[in-house]
Amino acid sequence: MFGKLEALGSRILSRFVPQIDAAACGWKHWDSCWQCKGKPCSVDGCTAKLYCG
């Protein structure tokens, strides 16, 4: 019974919440960023953390 409820909940949730695309994760690199005062930077696509240098 629990398995049926879990499957039903997953189907309902999938209608309202889009699945995360793993391909969206990755690094983006720029030669110059204003956040890093013109230095090169990278952004982690999964966590959105900015790394300068």
Side-chain angles (χ1 to χ4, degrees):
M1 182 69 177
F2 179 74
K4 289 182 182 181
L5 286 174
E6 186 176 15
L8 176 64
S10 293
R11 285 195 308 267
I12 292 171
L13 185 63
S14 67
R15 288 181 181 225
F16 299 105
V17 180
Q19 293 183 356
I20 296 173
D21 183 9
C25 291
W27 289 93
K28 305 288 184 190
H29 303 279
W30 289 273
D31 293 330
S32 177
C33 296
W34 65 269
Q35 298 95 328
C36 298
K37 299 180 181 177
K39 294 180 181 177
C41 66
S42 301
V43 175
D44 184 346
C46 296
T47 63
K49 288 187 179 182
L50 176 71
Y51 297 96
C52 297

